[in-house]
């Protein structure tokens, strides 16, 4: 009798009716054959799968051009299908599970005719990790197969780990017709199932990423007592060699990946990167939080990535290990056969834009959301602990956003509950990349608004419950690199100078420096910030920490409105924190 995986694959093949079924092994030889097949499709098929970038500065690299309407995640077409709408919460689009299956099942019917169905067995997390999860994804896109081989641990181990279990994590994906009117990303958290059709884009199609590792995993985490978070993981090494592990959550366009790989400005300090997007966090037997990165690659935004903003990522892209590197929707310099994007300096002559036509000055050459997909093992400062099945012990959690005012450069929460409150109010101003109006604060608690797979009020309660089990809770901080001065320019230089703030955070964790108590939390004594080598105009540093009553009243009103959407699901403790803050703001 066939095992559960074979049975499920057979069922999906009956539904989607592919010409062939290919079980992906994850070997180097197979990867090369798949890439070759993709290159043949580039010449013949409609989907521009791969073009080899041989002789470019990036070894073993390939350019993928997507359908022009398929360049980003589509939150409006993403659904969480739990039986009760309230359990999905106002933070998710909701559809009744049976209705969703009827709708999307119809779209999957026969969608793989003339195509190959690829079965990808993969692990999220190190196979030896108690926190890892074995999963199966089906897809009809070679681009997705190769991307999954880079971003996750593909191989037979996943099938062995699933064994006779029936409720393994399943993802069914087809690019369908790449028609936005027939595009849906449906999550069925109770069945550990994701069904996605009509898009080949990362977060819509690499189902191990946002779909499983955040939306489904956050739901599992609530049931099983752990956290699946949209966070970087890094270790900050000090001159004595001691390493402090930190997590950081930021909405998009806040420099999250750059921070994960930052080169500190001080001699003797070093950052060891463990992840730039997702952390799975468990309470260890020692009462501390332990984090793993379930992924094994970076899927990062290309524009703005350069030797200045992120030298470690540039080295990663130029590194050559086991896996190929993909560039998606970047521009192309045909003279050197190299990918190009804004931020790399002067555009070369004869540049082709992201759709392959001659670039016209004044228009983006690379798509603003163009991406690279690269193995984490290429990263020169990858932490030695990256493959440790236990993960790393966490001493601090940083929450950030892009705010031109109100929020100080750095602030420490007084305890776990206060930190959860501050994180639940996290907001970030919209940038051009996201589309829509500019500079509006969008509330994005824990940077998880689009990724919590259940009601966010319940999610806050879960954070509080996890805190109750910690005997050594990490300290929680908020940061804001984006405060503006009176002239409208950025008041803080950002980039590598953000390591000055990381140093203060570690000094606080180690109890080496004091802090000043304010109504919003603990602020640094200015003399404790290491400012050697950075000269700011007089009064600037003070202004980065100023608390304006009017701004905070506005902040409170916006947070109240946001909380209002969740009604009675907001935990009482957070309402209490809100009242305390209100009283404090009145005293400012
Ligand atoms: O595709 S991802 O969701 O991983 C990246 C993004 O669009 O946020
Ligand atoms: Mn992300």
């Amino acid at each position: 009798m066939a095992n559960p995986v074979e049975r499920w694959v057979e069922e999906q093949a009956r539904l989607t009716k592919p010409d062939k079924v290919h079980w992906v092994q994850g070997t180097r030889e197979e990867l090369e054959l798949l890439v070759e097949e993709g290159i043949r499709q580039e010449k013949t098929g409609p989907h521009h799968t791969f073009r080899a970038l041989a002789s470019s500065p990036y070894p073993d690299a390939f350019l993928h051009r997507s359908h022009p309407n398929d360049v980003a995640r589509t939150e409006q077409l993403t659904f969480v299908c739990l039986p009760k709408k309230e359990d999905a919460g106002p933070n998710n689009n909701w559809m009744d599970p049976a209705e969703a299956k009827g709708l999307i099942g119809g779209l999957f019917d026969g969608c793989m005719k003339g195509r190959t169905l690829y079965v990808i067995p993969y692990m999220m997390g190190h196979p030896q990790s108690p926190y890892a999860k074995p999963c199966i994804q089906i897809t009809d896109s070679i681009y997705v197969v190769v991307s999954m081989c880079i971003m996750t641990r593909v191989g037979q181990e996943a099938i062995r780990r699933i064994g006779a279990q029936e409720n393994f994590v399943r993802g069914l994906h087809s690019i369908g017709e790449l028609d936005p009117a027939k595009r849906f990303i449906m999550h069925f958290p109770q069945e550990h199932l994701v069904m996605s059709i009509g898009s080949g884009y990362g977060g819509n199609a690499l189902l191990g990423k946002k779909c499983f590792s955040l939306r489904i995993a956050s739901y599992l985490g609530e049931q099983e007592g752990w956290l699946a978070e949209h966070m970087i993981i890094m270790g900050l090494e000090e001159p004595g060699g001691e390493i402090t592990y930190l997590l950081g959550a930021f909405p998009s366009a806040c420099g999250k990946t750059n921070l994960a790989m930052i080169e500190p400005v001080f001699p003797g300090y070093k950052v060891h990167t463990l992840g730039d997007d997702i952390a799975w966090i468990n309470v260890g037997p020692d009462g501390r939080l332990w984090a793993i990165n379930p992924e094994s690659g970076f899927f990062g935004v290309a524009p703005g990535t350069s030797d200045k903003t992120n030298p470690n990522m540039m080295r990663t892209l130029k590194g050559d290990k086991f896996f190929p590197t993909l560039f998606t929707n970047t521009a192309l310099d045909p003279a050197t056969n190299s990918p190009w994007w804004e931020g790399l300096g002067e555009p070369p002559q004869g540049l082709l834009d992201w759709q392959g036509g001659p670039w016209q000055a004044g228009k983006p050459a690379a798509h603003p959301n163009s991406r690279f997909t690269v193995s984490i093992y290429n990263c020169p400062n990858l932490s030695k602990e990256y493959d440790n099945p236990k993960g790393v012990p966490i001493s601090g959690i940083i929450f950030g956003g892009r705010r031109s005012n109100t929020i100080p450069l750095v602030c420490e929460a007084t305890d776990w509950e206060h930190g959860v409150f501050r994180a639940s109010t996290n907001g970030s101003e919209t940038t051009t990349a996201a589309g829509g109006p500019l500079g509006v604060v969008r509330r994005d608690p824990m940077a998880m608004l689009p990724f919590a797979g259940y009601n966010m009020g319940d999610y806050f309660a879960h954070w509080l419950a996890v805190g109750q089990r910690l005997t050594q809770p990490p300290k929680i901080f908020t940061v804001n690199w984006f405060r503006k001065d009176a002239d409208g320019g950025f008041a803080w230089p950002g980039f590598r100078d953000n390591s000055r703030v990381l140093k203060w955070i570690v000094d606080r964790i180690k109890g080496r420096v004091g802090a000043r108590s304010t109504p919003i939390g603990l602020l640094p004594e200015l003399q404790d910030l290491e400012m050697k080598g950075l000269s700011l105009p007089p009064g600037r540093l003070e202004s980065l920490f100023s608390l304006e009553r009017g701004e905070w009243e506005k902040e409170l009103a916006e947070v109240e409105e946001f909380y209002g959407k969740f009604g009675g699901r907001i935990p009482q403790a957070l309402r209490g924190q809100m009242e305390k803050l209100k009283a404090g703001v009145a005293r400012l």
Side-chain angles (χ1 to χ4, degrees), residues 490-542:
F490 287 115
W492 175 250
F495 297 107
R496 289 186 67 194
D497 286 303
N498 294 338
S499 57
R500 299 174 190 278
V501 173
L502 295 182
K503 178 177 182 300
W504 182 78
I505 285 173
V506 170
D507 285 341
R508 281 294 299 163
I509 288 168
K510 303 279 173 196
R512 295 178 192 131
V513 294
R516 182 159 71 82
S517 185
T518 78
I520 68 154
L522 303 165
L523 297 184
E525 304 284 3
L526 296 188
Q527 75 274 6
D528 292 331
L529 288 166
E530 178 56 81
M531 294 298 284
K532 213 179 291 156
L534 174 64
S535 79
L536 296 179
R540 176 67 66 78
L541 198 55
E542 289 77 0

Side-chain angles (χ1 to χ4, degrees), residues 345-426:
E346 281 303 302
Q349 290 288 317
L351 190 63
L352 300 180
D353 70 15
W354 62 279
Q355 292 188 275
W359 170 62
Q360 294 166 2
K363 294 213 174 140
H367 187 279
N369 193 36
S370 55
R371 297 265 168 171
F372 47 75
T373 315
V374 65
S375 168
I376 201 166
Y377 293 101
N378 280 18
C379 176
N381 63 315
L382 182 67
S383 165
K384 287 197 301 293
E385 300 299 317
Y386 168 73
D387 269 327
N388 187 332
K390 286 200 297 212
V392 289
I394 299 302
S395 304
I397 308 181
I398 303 169
F399 292 96
R402 172 182 283 268
R403 299 295 300 271
S404 10
N405 48 49
T406 318
I407 308 295
L409 179 64
V410 59
C411 176
E412 180 186 324
T414 49
D415 58 17
W416 180 267
E417 183 183 293
H418 181 236
V420 171
F421 169 66
R422 290 298 311 280
S424 79
T425 70
N426 197 49

Side-chain angles (χ1 to χ4, degrees), residues 210 230 256 277 451:
K210 299 301 204 296
H230 190 205
K256 187 177 169 210
D277 199 32
F451 306 122

Side-chain angles (χ1 to χ4, degrees), residues 50 93 178 190 224 321 335 378 439 451 461 499 516 529 547 583 586:
F50 294 129
N93 297 316
L178 291 171
Q190 293 177 316
E224 298 169 1
K321 297 268 163 65
N378 280 18
F451 306 122
S499 57
R516 182 159 71 82
L529 288 166
L547 302 175

Side-chain angles (χ1 to χ4, degrees), residues 19-62:
D19 283 8
K20 270 193 298 195
V21 173
H22 175 136
W23 289 72
V24 176
Q25 307 295 318
T27 63
R28 175 77 208 184
E29 300 69 40
E30 182 188 41
L31 208 50
E32 281 171 12
L33 289 172
L34 286 166
V35 168
E36 273 171 33
E37 173 68 22
I39 291 173
R40 274 197 296 279
Q41 286 183 358
E42 149 90 356
K43 300 213 174 84
T44 58
H47 302 307
H48 314 278
T49 306
F50 294 129
R51 171 194 170 114
L53 300 175
S55 80
S56 85
Y58 309 96
D60 207 11
F62 300 87

